[in-house]
């Protein structure tokens, strides 16, 4: 869907719903005297479930930490999560359930580009905050979508980091791409093509797969004919791991570079010994570096919520989203509304979360969120790097 078509869909939804009153009688929907209710529609079961589950764990860890300190203006933060299976149609149904049946105040921690494209018109029409989506899609960064609160870098920024490293550090010129055949994959494809074009290069090969499958054989057969020096990957952990293992079984060892959305820890577990040397770009701080106050607070909150959980990139992103929502609510005042929350977020634009500055809206254009590269080690752990 093009940006103009998407904007038209949002405008139509607004027009159709303009006369409806979605607030609860006597106050804002989802806000009671002692609680504020958030909703999450994400993949909690199925082939991409690690992404939704980890986002949920990070958000709940943040809410648990905030609630232990008395909540926000005396209200505890609560989360209702519903499984959409990383499917756009199911995401629409679950989002409507959260809004109309659960009567949530705001949405947080949604997972995926195709699901967001299906649900954003619903939330924009009702001016429901859509906080911290786990997606770097360019359309979500349209400033006309005033209800969307992004905390992560765009996929275009990740693609630029990949191609800069592969061409300038490694001096590669034959680069292929393996991507999910939908709006998510095509967003990544566009970013890679732009980054290559800046350097006078074109893709050596392209291969695609269908969302929520591991049918990658045809893509590998197409890409291997180009004998690429590197393959950049825009997908989730299951199919990406399957592709890398298939390449290795075929005796081919190009450099593999994955997008942050892949779910880095889940990818490393899937790959096992095939993971050594695989690169994954990241958009949050290194979740094991407890010398950073943010990471130390995240680890402590996660341990308090569930001592069995281990740190990872996705749950840290969820934690950041939860903390930002709480910080914005503090600024929204004693009687928060959806409008006052969004106004507070967009007016402030910069939030200090345990020493880590998160920029949103126009501020994120002025000071974009950071991207950095990590590489999987022989034992399945990660090493943060500037140059490889």
């Amino acid at each position: 869907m093009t940006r103009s078509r998407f904007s038209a869909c949002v405008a139509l939804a607004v027009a159709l719903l303009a006369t409806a009153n979605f607030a609860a009688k006597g106050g804002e929907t989802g806000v009671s005297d002692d609680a504020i209710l958030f909703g999450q529609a994400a993949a909690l079961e199925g082939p991409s479930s690690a992404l939704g589950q980890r986002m949920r764990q990070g958000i709940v860890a943040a809410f648990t930490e905030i609630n232990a300190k008395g909540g926000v203006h005396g209200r505890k933060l609560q989360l209702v999560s519903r499984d959409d299976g990383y499917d756009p149609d199911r995401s629409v149904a679950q989002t409507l359930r959260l809004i109309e049946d659960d009567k949530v105040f705001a949405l947080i921690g949604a997972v995926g580009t195709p699901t967001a494209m299906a649900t954003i018109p619903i939330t924009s029409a009702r001016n429901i905050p859509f906080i911290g989506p786990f997606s770097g899609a360019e359309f979500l960064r349209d400033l006309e979508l005033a209800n969307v609160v992004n905390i992560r870098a765009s996929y275009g920024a990740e693609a630029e980091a990949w191609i800069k490293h592969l061409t300038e550090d490694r001096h590669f010129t034959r680069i292929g791409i393996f991507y999910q055949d939908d709006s998510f994959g095509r967003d990544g494809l566009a970013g890679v093509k732009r980054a290559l074009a800046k350097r006078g290069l074109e893709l050596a090969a392209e291969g695609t797969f269908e969302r929520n499958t591991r049918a990658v054989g045809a893509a590998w057969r197409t890409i291997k004919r180009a004998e690429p020096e590197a393959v950049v990957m825009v997908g989730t952990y299951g199919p990406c791991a399957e592709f890398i293992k298939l390449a290795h079984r075929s005796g081919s060892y190009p450099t593999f570079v994955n997008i942050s959305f892949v779910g880095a820890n889940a990818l490393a577990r899937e790959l096992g010994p095939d993971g050594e040397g695989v690169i994954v770009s990241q958009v949050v701080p290194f979740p094991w570096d407890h010398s950073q106050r943010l990471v130390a607070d995240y680890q402590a909150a996660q341990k308090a919520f569930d001592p069995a959980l281990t740190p990872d990139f996705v749950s840290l992103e969820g934690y950041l989203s939860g903390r930002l929502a709480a910080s914005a609510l503090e600024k929204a005042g004693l009687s928060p509304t959806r409008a006052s929350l969004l106004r507070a977020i967009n007016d402030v634009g910069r939030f200090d979360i345990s020493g880590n500055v998160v920029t949103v809206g126009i501020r994120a254009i002025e000071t974009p969120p950071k991207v950095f590269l990590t590489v999987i080690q022989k034992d399945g752990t990660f090493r943060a790097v500037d140059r490889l």
Side-chain angles (χ1 to χ4, degrees):
M1 185 184 295
T2 65
R3 175 171 290 186
S4 60
R5 281 185 62 199
F6 180 80
S7 297
C9 288
V10 173
L12 176 61
V14 171
L16 290 172
L17 295 166
T19 59
N21 177 15
F22 297 103
K25 292 181 179 179
E28 182 63 279
T29 300
V31 179
S32 66
D33 290 342
D34 58 2
I36 299 177
L37 187 61
F38 288 79
Q40 178 196 26
L44 302 175
E45 297 180 3
S48 302
S49 58
L51 304 178
Q53 290 173 1
R54 284 295 194 170
M55 279 294 287
R56 183 183 189 282
Q57 289 163 0
I59 295 165
V60 175
F63 285 1
T64 301
E65 175 187 333
I66 297 299
N67 292 343
K69 299 175 182 178
V72 178
H73 297 305
R75 296 185 179 93
K76 301 296 177 69
L77 307 185
Q78 300 174 354
L79 180 68
V80 176
S81 297
R82 293 194 176 277
D83 175 40
D84 68 11
Y86 192 33
D87 176 84
D89 291 339
R90 287 179 62 187
S91 195
V92 167
Q94 296 291 38
T95 298
L96 287 171
R97 285 185 69 187
L98 288 165
I99 295 169
E100 297 176 355
D101 298 342
D102 300 315
K103 300 191 182 304
V104 300
F105 171 69
L107 294 164
I108 189 170
V111 172
T113 299
T115 47
M117 291 196 81
T119 57
I120 284 294
I122 298 169
T123 63
S124 294
R126 307 178 187 211
N127 202 35
I128 297 172
F130 195 83
I131 300 169
F134 188 61
S135 169
E138 294 294 339
F139 86 91
L140 287 171
R141 281 135 187 86
D142 188 337
L143 294 179
E144 291 181 9
L145 295 177
N147 69 309
V148 179
V149 183
N150 297 292
I151 69 168
R152 59 163 26 238
S154 70
Y155 291 148
E158 290 192 62
E160 171 62 24
W162 304 340
I163 301 306
K164 178 179 175 64
H165 167 65
L166 293 173
T167 59
E168 298 179 19
D169 294 349
R170 298 287 190 93
H171 306 292
F172 291 162
T173 57
R174 294 194 316 280
I175 299 170
I177 186 170
F178 170 71
Y179 65 95
Q180 188 167 290
D181 190 13
D182 63 7
S183 53
F184 162 48
R186 288 188 288 274
D187 203 287
L189 172 67
V192 169
K193 285 184 172 180
R194 282 196 303 271
L196 286 170
K198 281 175 57 177
R199 296 161 174 87
L201 296 172
E202 295 181 352
L203 279 166
E206 298 180 25
T208 66
F209 69 97
E210 186 178 344
R211 181 178 60 244
N212 282 336
T213 74
R214 295 192 182 213
V216 304
W220 169 240
R221 288 190 293 273
T222 298
I223 290 173
K224 75 174 181 179
R225 287 196 289 269
E227 298 183 347
E229 297 164 292
V231 178
V232 296
M233 314 185 79
V234 186
T236 54
Y237 54 91
C240 288
E242 194 70 27
F243 186 94
I244 293 169
K245 288 189 284 188
L246 179 57
H248 288 176
R249 287 197 299 270
S250 303
S252 182
Y253 291 84
T255 296
F256 291 105
V257 184
N258 283 263
I259 202 162
S260 61
F261 185 86
V262 74
N265 293 75
L267 177 68
R269 286 193 298 272
E270 289 265 349
L271 284 170
D274 285 291
E276 184 178 7
V278 172
I279 299 168
V280 186
S281 54
Q282 308 294 352
V283 295
V284 295
F286 202 63
W288 298 275
D289 181 12
H290 50 76
S291 66
Q292 296 188 56
R293 183 156 57 92
L294 168 67
V295 174
D297 287 350
Y298 152 72
Q299 290 186 357
Q302 190 179 55
K303 186 176 181 180
F305 165 57
D306 184 348
L309 294 176
T310 55
D312 84 336
F313 295 98
V314 180
S315 61
L316 176 53
E317 187 165 339
Y319 176 79
L320 265 172
S321 296
R323 286 284 307 275
L324 182 137
S327 294
L329 279 170
E330 288 280 358
K331 298 181 184 301
L334 296 175
S335 301
T337 64
R338 291 165 173 167
S340 70
L341 176 66
L342 290 170
R343 189 163 53 249
I345 289 172
N346 291 313
D347 286 352
V348 174
R350 290 169 58 88
F351 291 84
D352 187 323
I353 310 297
S354 294
N356 186 84
V357 176
V358 177
T359 57
V360 298
I362 293 175
R363 292 294 186 95
I365 296 174
E366 299 167 352
T367 309
K370 295 180 180 178
V371 176
F372 71 101
L373 301 180
T374 61
V375 61
I376 302 176
Q377 303 296 286
K378 188 174 184 177
D379 62 357
T381 61
F382 288 81
R383 177 168 62 89
V385 293
D386 293 318
R387 285 173 63 95
L388 299 178

